[in-house]
Amino acid sequence: MPTRLTPFAHDSLRAADTCVLSLKWSFQLMLDLGGHRTFIGRHGFNDDELARELGLAKWVDGNEYDAVQALKALRQGARAFKVDYPDAPYPDRLAKNLQALGTLLELSEAELRVLGFCVLMHNDPVLSDATDQLGMLGYNRALKSLSVLLGLPLTEVRICLGRDSQLVRAGLLDLGTGHRPSSMMLSTMLSVSNQELPGLLRFSQGSPLELFAYAFRLSPPGTLGREHYGHVKQPLDIAERYLAKALAQGRNGVNILLYGPPGTGKTQLSRFIAKSLNSALYEVACTNSYGDPLHPQQRLCSLRAANSVLHAQRALLVLDEIEDIFQTATFDISSRSQKAWINRMLEENALPCFWLSNSIEAIDAAHIRRFDLVIEAPNPPLAQRERLLRDCGAGKLGDELVEHLSAHGQVTPAVLERAVRVGRNVSQRAGKALDGTIRCIVDATLKAQGFAKLPHNDANGLPSFYSPEWINADLPLAGLVEGLRAHPQARLCFYGPPGTGKTAFGRWLAQELDKPLMVKRVSDLVSPYVGMTEQNLAGAFERAQQEDAVLLLDEVDSFLQDRGKARQSWEVTTVNEMLTQMEGYSGLFIASTNLICDLDEASLRRFDLKVHFGYLTQAQSLALFAAHLNVLGLKDPKQAAGQRLQGEGRLTPGDFAAVARRGRFKPFASADELAAALLAECRLKSAGLQRPIGFIH
């Protein structure tokens, strides 16, 4: 008569709420594979809880522990268990889910057995604890252990765990792609790609596709249309035609890299392309069900799973925020193997995939060259930002706010959309309250991102009474606007003393040409980091080109100084970059400087027109003085106040602007006061010229 399972072992099985199959494998791990050598110590068990689960509670709770007797009892319990449970089925829904998964992915019976063991090892605490008793295993011993446990030939187990096995290619098991130690725990060696997978396979009652909810999901429809992507029209057209053929031919290894600052609509662009091709779009998971970020390795396994499960569908994939994946491949100790694995994925993926990145600086050139298309998605130009803003605001936003929001180069579509959505929920009626709410939201976002806030007035605006007649230029400016309309590609240099109206005239030109104005100052472009100033210069020209804007670079002598006087190599490279950008710019570029004598000789040859802006003539001074008196409501009937200005030859439009700003908070009582203030401004300039150099004794 065979020995029956002792009563306390039956009770243990019920109390542990574990499955019969896990207990069967646990006994095998202890006895057939030698786990008892670690488990049963000289003075006690290595794991008391596991001992209770295996029916050895007597030796845990009693005072008379005997290692020899404990091992004997373990063997008796294993024999009794085998008699009582000759068949050990999969628990819960695991058998049905494994079978459905096998049909979906064309898994062999051996692969299903290996996967079933891995699921329970990572889901059932008894089997997990029992597996740990084997300690650190080499790869070959691990294969041998699986062969014994699953009743499979060793060669078949080796095939199931090979790099080309369907379990690995489908992203179900993560055997690692980089350096592995020579030995490790079996649970580490046979890790699942995602911690949610074991629970889903064991308990899920959904369809086979729902088993991969952890890996990918159907992307929601996009909200932007073709009209919002006019700035990337050509690459968009190329991508649509290329992907249409790739889908029709079932071509492998099709990848498109989309990059650009956060919030510029990269995800929306992938959704629009998918819709235009009448294709489903699936997003590969970046986070788990709790919202925690996934490791790069887990995300790549999820990408593999999506390719394996969806390969028969007309579908596209999108993988967002890929920086961490490629940073791991660049800086990880096992980077060579990691790079090779990523390159292989790029070459073999079954479905076309969009790879989205906020920055490509960390992506190795070896990876970039494997993308079929690389598309930059910059912040849309001003006209498109304004259209998007008016669409989002449904006509409820003030014109001044719309102008400020759309003119700010760092306000991206995502920031615009979110601010308008929140603002309209807080202040639903159009007016100052709604505009103020949206401005507050956007300003807070810009500040957190390290960008300048929205202006509270028109920084590029001109006085209502501005006229180019108050420019004292050495060349006639009449007809310049018509000439620039006929020949929009031009490089102009405005030079002369400060305040003579160089920048204001550039603004007037942009206004007359009906083009946006992009003003860049030294502080906007200079960086303490090597090479960054050159990058900022290139970015300013590129951005102006995209916006079809007039680019006005103030204090250009900082970037075009005479290279013969340079002391540092970066001073030369900055000038070289500036000259290169000027040469290739196809719009209107205006450079202003107070120090034309300091400019590099080569730069002077590149300007199509060089205009000197001088001090106001006496007639211009009197005309501008009269215009300011009119605005301020002051009278000078005998022109006595104006006569005081006739002998002053250093007046500029900038002096009038400075005095006008002062008058806002300390109004002038008479024309004489206004004239005195202007003369005081001139005396300050004269004092600056006479300021002594060195120490004053």
Side-chain angles (χ1 to χ4, degrees):
M1 293 286 294
T3 304
R4 302 295 295 171
L5 189 65
T6 55
F8 66 82
H10 279 290
D11 293 341
S12 173
L13 179 58
R14 290 194 298 271
D17 195 26
T18 189
C19 70
V20 173
L21 184 55
S22 290
L23 282 173
K24 172 190 173 184
W25 281 333
S26 297
F27 279 120
Q28 286 183 277
L29 286 163
M30 294 299 101
L31 298 173
D32 298 344
L33 296 174
H36 68 276
R37 298 186 184 92
T38 302
F39 176 57
I40 302 176
R42 179 177 297 179
H43 303 291
F45 295 109
N46 185 43
D47 187 329
D48 289 347
E49 198 59 39
L50 177 60
R52 291 189 179 94
E53 302 292 352
L54 295 179
L56 303 175
K58 170 185 175 182
W59 306 101
V60 175
D61 302 324
N63 297 324
E64 299 180 358
Y65 174 79
D66 186 308
V68 175
Q69 293 301 317
L71 178 58
K72 181 178 179 181
L74 179 64
R75 287 172 175 159
Q76 289 176 344
R79 288 195 295 269
F81 181 88
K82 189 175 182 179
V83 171
D84 278 10
Y85 299 97
D87 297 319
Y90 286 117
D92 307 304
R93 301 272 306 178
L94 183 54
K96 291 184 178 180
N97 286 335
L98 285 175
Q99 193 60 45
L101 194 63
T103 302
L104 179 65
L105 299 179
E106 299 179 351
L107 298 174
S108 67
E109 182 61 31
E111 288 171 328
L112 289 177
R113 286 197 205 179
V114 171
L115 180 59
F117 174 80
C118 292
V119 166
L120 289 179
M121 179 173 60
H122 290 281
N123 183 263
D124 192 301
V126 173
L127 182 58
S128 177
D129 292 344
T131 304
D132 289 345
Q133 301 307 310
L134 294 184
M136 305 295 284
L137 302 177
Y139 183 69
N140 289 329
R141 188 182 169 200
L143 295 182
K144 177 64 176 176
S145 299
L146 283 178
S147 175
V148 171
L149 290 170
L150 304 178
L152 294 171
L154 184 61
T155 54
E156 205 161 350
V157 175
R158 192 181 300 276
I159 292 173
C160 291
L161 298 180
R163 299 295 182 197
D164 292 323
S165 74
Q166 186 63 359
L167 290 176
V168 176
R169 293 178 65 86
L172 298 173
L173 295 186
D174 178 15
L175 303 182
T177 59
H179 173 71
R180 288 270 188 168
S182 57
S183 60
M184 63 185 70
M185 304 291 284
L186 187 61
S187 58
T188 303
M189 188 180 298
L190 300 178
S191 59
V192 291
S193 60
N194 191 290
Q195 295 304 312
E196 297 181 44
L197 179 60
L200 286 170
L201 280 172
R202 181 168 177 177
F203 300 110
S204 175
Q205 299 184 23
S207 66
L209 199 61
E210 292 174 350
L211 294 172
F212 293 92
Y214 69 91
F216 56 85
R217 68 183 181 95
L218 191 63
S219 179
T223 58
L224 299 182
R226 190 178 300 275
E227 67 276 9
H228 297 109
Y229 291 102
H231 57 303
V232 290
K233 181 180 184 304
Q234 185 176 15
L236 172 58
D237 292 342
I238 294 172
E240 287 180 315
R241 293 197 299 269
Y242 179 68
L243 288 174
K245 286 189 176 181
L247 288 170
Q249 298 170 359
R251 191 180 305 166
N252 290 346
V254 175
N255 299 278
I256 296 179
L257 175 61
L258 296 178
Y259 74 96
T264 53
K266 299 183 291 296
T267 302
Q268 289 289 338
L269 179 57
S270 65
R271 292 173 181 173
F272 169 74
I273 293 175
K275 180 180 179 181
S276 70
L277 297 176
N278 194 28
S279 171
L281 180 69
Y282 288 88
E283 298 178 358
V284 179
C286 295
T287 60
N288 59 22
S289 58
Y290 301 102
D292 297 324
L294 296 176
H295 296 301
Q297 191 76 8
Q298 292 175 313
R299 298 179 63 199
L300 289 174
C301 286
S302 295
L303 178 60
R304 284 193 160 196
N307 274 292
S308 296
V309 174
L310 304 170
H311 70 278
Q313 293 191 26
R314 181 181 175 85
L316 302 171
L317 302 177
V318 59
L319 185 63
D320 201 356
E321 298 179 4
I322 63 172
E323 294 87 355
D324 58 340
I325 293 175
F326 290 97
Q327 284 174 352
T328 300
T330 302
F331 299 111
D332 190 76
I333 190 172
S334 56
S335 60
R336 181 176 300 178
S337 178
Q338 183 85 354
K339 283 183 180 179
W341 195 55
I342 293 176
N343 287 340
R344 183 175 176 182
M345 290 188 65
L346 289 170
E347 294 168 355
E348 297 180 356
N349 58 303
L351 295 175
C353 182
F354 295 102
W355 300 65
L356 276 52
S357 175
N358 297 330
S359 173
I360 59 173
E361 293 181 0
I363 304 180
D364 191 275
H367 294 313
I368 292 180
R369 70 178 179 83
R370 283 177 165 80
F371 287 98
D372 300 276
L373 295 174
V374 178
I375 301 175
E376 182 182 11
N379 198 14
L382 186 146
Q384 288 180 228
R385 294 201 301 272
E386 183 174 344
R387 178 190 303 167
L388 178 64
L389 187 60
R390 294 193 184 280
D391 290 345
C392 292
K396 293 189 175 183
L397 306 184
D399 290 338
E400 182 179 336
L401 177 63
V402 171
E403 182 179 346
H404 289 172
L405 285 170
S406 55
H408 197 296
Q410 305 299 339
V411 180
T412 61
V415 173
L416 289 174
E417 189 277 331
R418 188 172 292 107
V420 172
R421 173 168 48 83
V422 175
R424 292 187 63 186
N425 275 279
V426 175
S427 305
Q428 296 183 0
R429 299 182 63 180
K432 291 184 178 180
L434 176 59
D435 288 359
T437 300
I438 293 174
R439 180 182 288 274
C440 178
I441 295 169
V442 173
D443 277 346
T445 301
L446 290 172
K447 181 180 179 181
Q449 292 178 310
F451 302 132
K453 293 183 179 180
L454 296 173
H456 284 270
N457 49 47
D458 190 356
N460 287 335
L462 292 168
S464 58
F465 52 87
Y466 176 84
S467 171
E469 294 178 0
W470 297 324
I471 299 297
N472 182 18
D474 63 343
L475 295 175
L477 301 178
L480 181 58
V481 172
E482 288 71 19
L484 290 174
R485 285 199 181 104
H487 304 282
Q489 181 177 357
R491 292 160 294 197
L492 312 181
C493 179
F494 296 162
Y495 68 98
T500 50
K502 301 181 290 296
T503 302
F505 185 69
R507 292 172 179 163
W508 181 82
L509 277 180
Q511 183 176 291
E512 292 299 304
L513 293 170
D514 196 24
K515 288 181 178 289
L517 176 68
M518 182 181 295
V519 179
K520 292 294 181 181
R521 297 175 176 83
V522 176
S523 58
D524 300 326
L525 302 172
V526 169
S527 170
Y529 302 105
V530 176
M532 282 304 299
T533 299
E534 291 87 336
Q535 289 188 33
N536 293 339
L537 279 170
F541 276 91
E542 183 177 4
R543 188 67 189 166
Q545 193 79 68
Q546 294 168 350
E547 300 271 3
D548 190 24
V550 174
L551 176 60
L552 194 157
L553 188 54
D554 205 3
E555 300 175 6
V556 76
D557 44 277
S558 298
F559 304 108
L560 289 177
Q561 61 178 319
D562 189 347
R563 285 172 289 184
K565 299 178 182 179
R567 296 183 178 181
Q568 304 292 337
S569 60
W570 56 264
E571 295 176 309
V572 176
T573 58
T574 299
V575 176
N576 292 340
E577 180 65 31
M578 183 69 191
L579 294 175
T580 301
Q581 294 298 330
M582 288 173 57
E583 195 75 37
Y585 187 57
S586 60
L588 175 56
F589 169 62
I590 301 174
S592 70
T593 178
N594 304 329
L595 305 168
I596 193 169
C597 294
D598 292 345
L599 298 191
D600 190 88
E601 184 178 344
S603 69
L604 295 175
R605 296 196 303 270
R606 283 173 168 79
F607 287 110
D608 304 309
L609 185 66
K610 295 176 280 290
V611 183
H612 178 263
F613 284 63
Y615 296 112
L616 294 171
T617 65
Q618 288 191 7
Q620 288 174 322
S621 296
L622 291 175
L624 192 52
F625 183 69
H628 276 269
L629 288 178
N630 184 51
V631 171
L632 296 173
L634 300 176
K635 303 293 184 181
D636 186 19
K638 297 182 180 181
Q639 298 184 348
Q643 292 297 323
R644 297 176 60 185
L645 302 178
Q646 286 189 359
E648 180 53 62
R650 296 170 58 82
L651 270 174
T652 67
D655 296 329
F656 282 89
V659 169
R661 290 194 301 270
R662 167 186 156 184
R664 290 179 302 175
F665 57 86
K666 191 177 184 301
F668 296 102
S670 66
D672 278 337
E673 279 193 22
L674 179 61
L678 289 168
L679 292 173
E681 289 289 325
C682 291
R683 285 196 296 271
L684 285 174
K685 286 185 281 189
S686 299
L689 289 175
Q690 300 170 5
R691 186 179 298 125
I693 299 174
F695 295 101
I696 299 177
H697 299 282

